[in-house]
Amino acid sequence: MEISVFSDPIALGHQAGKIGAQLIRSAIQSQGFANIILATGTSQFETLKQLLQEKQVDWSRVTVFHLDEYIGIPITHRASFRKYLNERFFDQVNLKAYHLIDGEHNPEKECKRLSGIIEKHPIDVAFVGIGENGHLAFNDPPADFHTKEPYIIVELDEACRMQQLGEGWFPDLASVPKRAISMSIQQIMGSKNIICSVPDLRKAQAVKACLEGEISPMHPASILQNHRDCRIFLDSSSSSLLSGR
């Protein structure tokens, strides 16, 4: 695990996006295509912005999966991660393919559908973040470190739901869904490369627990310590509690 600290979220996203683009180009050069995972949320704004500015990426050779989606909200909802990715990424590049999570209709069937697809697409680069409660995707504590199922149905804890409220996606806590479809921990860890972008002071405690503490389901993103090629991108605020500062 390699940790880099930058002055602010813009500098963080610039470098995370550039390194991620290099890894995508390398995969295309070596095998003719790339399979990637994109994260969502406010922490990913600058990383995604930089990815779109990387003109040397042949997006027509890239297949995209995404990490998670709420159960029960339509794609038109402002908090929908499908809406987020369509507007901020998919509408702006010509991809080989992308596979969105539909949490509106039959979640169990959707998990099986997506699992069948991603099992045929080994992931070259996963772009992820760390939640205020230490979650990785929507795997809230205590996270399931063992399931081999690529996509699973999860219960969202109150800390996670409060984060979504605090970021302005919902008008009140009662409006935040209590369940979601999430990519599993083991599926994320199977990625060849991981780019983890984590800005903002509100993430500082989770960053310290996950990067300096013991690997534990109570701190889901701590599992990244075990990944063979994970790059963590922090800013001065999110890294402020690390003992190595």
Side-chain angles (χ1 to χ4, degrees):
M1 186 173 66
E2 177 183 309
I3 300 174
S4 300
V5 179
F6 300 87
S7 59
D8 54 55
I10 294 175
L12 180 164
H14 176 80
Q15 191 64 14
K18 289 189 75 67
I19 297 298
Q22 290 174 9
L23 293 170
I24 294 170
R25 287 193 293 266
S26 178
I28 293 172
Q29 184 176 7
S30 64
Q31 63 194 19
F33 61 88
N35 302 315
I36 71 172
I37 297 166
L38 292 181
T40 54
T42 58
S43 66
Q44 304 301 309
F45 285 164
E46 299 300 330
T47 299
L48 293 180
K49 185 184 298 183
Q50 183 61 42
L51 270 181
L52 289 172
Q53 294 174 6
E54 295 290 325
K55 302 302 182 185
Q56 301 304 312
V57 175
D58 183 355
W59 293 107
S60 68
R61 296 177 179 271
V62 178
T63 297
V64 179
F65 295 85
H66 77 123
L67 284 173
D68 42 36
E69 181 60 285
Y70 299 105
I71 289 176
I73 66 171
I75 195 171
T76 54
H77 193 290
R78 67 188 307 269
S80 166
F81 295 131
R82 290 174 292 168
K83 177 181 175 66
Y84 177 114
L85 287 172
N86 278 332
E87 294 178 350
R88 290 179 172 83
F89 206 87
F90 299 156
D91 289 347
Q92 301 180 54
V93 291
N94 179 31
L95 293 165
K96 179 180 179 181
Y98 58 89
H99 301 282
L100 293 170
I101 304 170
D102 179 357
E104 290 185 67
H105 301 103
N106 187 324
E108 291 80 8
K109 186 176 180 180
E110 182 69 349
C111 286
K112 291 180 180 179
R113 181 186 75 85
L114 290 166
S115 294
I117 298 171
I118 202 169
E119 285 173 344
K120 300 173 184 176
H121 294 77
I123 300 300
D124 298 296
V125 189
F127 294 86
V128 303
I130 296 175
E132 292 177 27
N133 64 352
H135 71 202
L136 187 59
F138 263 154
N139 297 285
D140 288 340
D144 187 340
F145 277 4
H146 303 295
T147 182
K148 301 295 185 182
E149 294 297 321
Y151 284 90
I152 58 176
I153 295 172
V154 295
E155 302 291 327
L156 304 181
D157 69 14
E158 185 168 328
C160 172
R161 296 172 65 234
M162 285 297 294
Q163 176 181 331
Q164 311 311 315
L165 175 63
E167 291 182 357
W169 301 109
F170 297 92
D172 51 58
L173 184 61
S175 301
V176 184
K178 295 182 178 180
R179 296 199 308 157
I181 294 174
S182 178
M183 189 176 289
S184 69
I185 294 289
Q186 285 299 315
Q187 175 62 45
I188 295 168
M189 290 293 287
S191 306
K192 295 177 185 175
N193 301 276
I194 295 178
I195 299 289
C196 183
S197 300
V198 197
D200 301 333
L201 183 61
R202 61 195 172 88
K203 302 289 186 72
Q205 188 60 54
V207 165
K208 180 176 179 61
C210 292
L211 303 189
E212 293 187 337
E214 294 183 0
I215 297 172
S216 165
M218 297 308 298
H219 304 290
S222 65
I223 195 72
L224 295 175
Q225 295 180 42
N226 281 341
H227 194 272
R228 62 189 177 278
D229 199 341
C230 177
R231 296 169 174 87
I232 309 288
F233 296 84
L234 309 175
D235 65 6
S236 59
S237 296
S238 61
S239 64
S240 60
L241 297 180
L242 293 180
S243 59
R245 289 299 309 276

